[in-house]
Amino acid sequence: MRIKDLPKHVGERVKVRGWVFRRRELKDKVFLVLRDSTGIVQCVVPSSLKGVEKARIESSVIVSGSLKKDERAPGGHEIAVEKLKVVGEAEVFPITKDQSVEFLLDVRHLWLRSRKLTAIMKVKDTALRAAREWFHKHGFWEVTPPIIVSGACEGGATLFKFKYFDRTAFLSQSAQLYLEALIYSLEKVYSLTPSFRAEKSRTRRHLAEYWHLEGEAAWVDHEENMRIQEQLVSYMVKKVVKERKEELESLGRDVKILKRVKPPFKRMTYDKAIEILQRRGMEIEWGEDLGADEERELTKDLRKPIFLTNYPRKIKAFYMKVDPRDENKVLNDDLLSPEGYGELIGGSQREDDLEKLKENMKLFKLRPKDYEWYLDLRRYGSVPHSGFGLGMERFVMWVCRLDHIRDTIPFPRVINRAYP
Ligand code: 4AD
Ligand code: MG
């Protein structure tokens, strides 16, 4: 029986399997709190019962006995255990209260059993499912782009290089260029892949490996691109609030705020954002990119995400379409999460003109040879198109209201860590 289903069986004899989450000894009884993937339940075991001494914290066990309701018990129910089987006897569990962050990362494979990480993993599952559902409902095909690539998508500074047989290859920063190739047959596509960024600094919101949800569509302009993003994000939030309310609340997240996340989201130009930041005394000049501090300042009092649009061409990527009204700007959007979280999505309309794209590549000092195939896409039936990429861990961080991105992924990869 799953622990979640126990309330239907009060007064009956039940059998449950799981792991010992807490253990407390009293004269002639041992109180065990068991957990399985669905919840926790308290068990009272007579001290004389065979095997009870082996039922240490994190031992896996099967118990049977009669179930009663008990308001004071963790989980609200209690099993009076008659039979106990210890399946996997645990050694003394290394994790106790108040451990350092670094230690918990060293034993991440064990810390994953915590209630906090379990709740977050469930939220992520639901967010991923919601995203796929939304894309599927709106006519996008899921595709599987490569992870081993021959050129940068988001600039050389964060590219991971490795020896690939007798040449050099890279780990993908974004599936975008490959998704662009796929819109000529499928029109609307999306992918969910790991993306890699050799981020040289440690921050609260950067991982070296993260899960990237990207969409790309033919015949879609900058404006429609933003409408797609706000609908997708709102759908994901709505589904998570509906299905994972308990987990969110266990993490201390006020779901009332999330319930207000509905389209449309506000749009603000980069120029306007710089003006506001300068007025508030932030040290930023026109032409500079926004960092975490600037994004926090802009979003700390917001309850809904906001689009920042039309950034200076120089600080964005080579593939973005130049704004026809101002050749120093591009038709891009950064979607910032509210409550201080900042960048969740990067998106843009793409340059679909061969000559202009070549010109951009020169400006960004890219070798045309590495991108010949990509230029071909503009040679054979080029089409206006747009797309975007959403960082799944950024989404989970905001929705769960976490102060660090590391807990949104089971095995975080950052500059000083690839273990366990
Ligand atoms: O803004 P970025 O770099 O945009 C792209 O890669 C585009 N080619 C996507 C596209 O248009 N298909 O990355 C997109 C998103 C960011 O907004 C952020 O949410 C996330 O990916 N992201 C990271 N998440 C965690 N750790 C990192 N180091 C991240 N870098 C980017
Ligand atoms: Mg970006």
Side-chain angles (χ1 to χ4, degrees), residues 276-380:
I276 291 175
L277 288 169
Q278 288 177 342
R279 212 184 316 129
R280 294 195 193 162
M282 303 286 290
E283 283 187 20
I284 186 164
E285 297 298 325
W286 193 95
E288 287 174 357
D289 204 358
L290 307 190
D293 291 343
E294 288 78 22
E295 291 182 0
R296 186 174 320 111
E297 179 59 34
L298 285 172
T299 63
K300 64 183 198 272
D301 299 323
L302 301 180
R303 293 290 173 262
K304 275 168 71 166
I306 180 172
F307 286 111
L308 293 193
T309 68
N310 306 75
Y311 278 56
R313 186 178 178 185
K314 280 201 187 118
I315 56 171
K316 285 293 177 187
F318 76 98
Y319 51 72
M320 292 186 181
K321 192 171 181 68
V322 171
D323 185 344
R325 289 160 307 183
D326 180 349
E327 63 167 29
N328 294 314
K329 309 262 180 61
V330 281
L331 295 178
N332 82 299
D333 67 85
D334 270 10
L335 182 64
L336 310 188
S337 295
E339 301 173 78
Y341 281 95
E343 185 179 342
L344 171 67
I345 290 184
S348 70
Q349 185 163 344
R350 319 305 191 187
E351 186 51 74
D352 48 78
D353 181 89
L354 179 63
E355 292 314 314
K356 286 185 185 152
L357 185 59
K358 280 185 177 167
E359 200 184 295
N360 283 356
M361 288 177 60
K362 239 185 248 153
L363 211 72
F364 284 83
K365 301 197 170 57
L366 298 176
R367 289 195 313 182
K369 193 172 124 286
D370 295 336
Y371 298 88
E372 228 13 78
W373 69 271
Y374 184 67
L375 292 173
D376 267 354
L377 305 178
R378 276 70 182 165
R379 291 190 180 104
Y380 304 99

Side-chain angles (χ1 to χ4, degrees), residues 132-225:
R132 286 197 154 109
E133 237 171 63
W134 190 89
F135 276 120
H136 185 70
K137 277 186 189 163
H138 291 83
F140 283 75
W141 296 93
E142 181 165 5
V143 295
T144 55
I147 301 300
I148 298 172
V149 299
S150 51
C153 180
E154 296 301 317
T158 61
L159 207 52
F160 274 110
K161 206 170 90 159
F162 69 100
K163 193 169 166 290
Y164 181 70
F165 302 108
D166 55 357
R167 70 188 68 198
T168 298
F170 309 99
L171 292 177
S172 172
Q173 298 168 308
S174 163
Q176 179 194 321
L177 307 186
Y178 297 94
L179 296 187
E180 286 185 64
L182 283 153
I183 62 164
Y184 293 83
S185 51
L186 298 167
E187 294 193 38
K188 291 156 109 182
V189 297
Y190 77 97
S191 63
L192 176 64
T193 62
S195 274
F196 301 87
R197 305 281 169 111
E199 303 281 356
K200 309 275 184 325
S201 59
R202 294 180 76 177
T203 77
R204 289 170 181 278
R205 57 180 204 163
H206 287 96
L207 294 164
E209 177 183 63
Y210 71 97
W211 286 82
H212 205 167
L213 180 72
E214 295 176 90
E216 194 73 32
W219 316 108
V220 166
D221 66 7
H222 174 50
E223 294 297 328
E224 195 179 345
N225 194 30

